[in-house]
Amino acid sequence: MGLLAYIDALKASGETAMFPDLRVKGARGTLFPGYGEWWGRYLKAHNAFPQGEGRKQSREFRHHWTTAGRRSGLSESALEYIQGHSTANKSANAGYGQRAPLGYEIDKLEFAGLDLSDVRPWC
């Protein structure tokens, strides 16, 4: 598929990255922004929360989601996994076994009693 030729061309041009157009971004210096950055831009682009009110609405979503997850019976391990939180500095058991099955617990998630009557349409 030309991968070796591509890598040779990169080396010949003095490039050290395999995908040179990917550059670190944001305050955290990662290739991709955190979910909160993306979510906030998405909400603003779709006029989904009032202008000039900071990040509050975007951050509140995380709190409501976590509360709904707990009420729906998702385990703490599943909540942490689905939200992309690190298991560093937790129990030694956190490093064992596959974590991907924790994602299946999202099927338990319910937003019982959620009132969407004030939600603005996306378009």
Side-chain angles (χ1 to χ4, degrees):
M1 293 183 354
L3 179 62
L4 296 177
Y6 171 73
I7 291 172
D8 288 342
L10 289 172
K11 288 179 183 177
S13 68
E15 184 58 61
T16 57
M18 187 168 181
F19 302 103
D21 289 341
L22 290 178
R23 299 288 186 232
V24 295
K25 304 169 188 69
R28 295 180 359 187
T30 57
L31 285 177
F32 303 100
Y35 175 78
E37 290 179 54
W38 174 87
W39 181 246
R41 283 193 308 269
Y42 183 85
L43 291 175
K44 287 177 185 173
H46 291 87
N47 196 29
F49 69 74
Q51 297 296 316
E53 295 198 28
R55 296 171 43 178
K56 185 176 180 186
Q57 291 79 11
S58 177
R59 293 188 61 76
E60 283 181 354
F61 174 77
R62 175 170 53 181
H63 299 287
H64 291 300
W65 189 95
T66 302
T67 299
R70 287 182 181 141
R71 286 182 181 157
S72 300
L74 275 72
S75 68
E76 182 179 351
S77 296
L79 286 169
E80 296 290 320
Y81 174 75
I82 293 167
Q83 290 178 256
H85 293 168
S86 169
T87 58
N89 301 321
K90 296 211 175 176
S91 161
N93 292 331
Y96 295 113
Q98 296 286 327
R99 294 186 74 213
L102 296 171
Y104 299 138
E105 286 198 39
I106 196 140
D107 291 336
K108 296 180 185 177
L109 187 64
E110 295 179 4
F111 288 93
L114 180 64
D115 178 11
L116 299 175
S117 62
D118 289 331
V119 174
R120 295 184 212 169
W122 292 104
C123 300

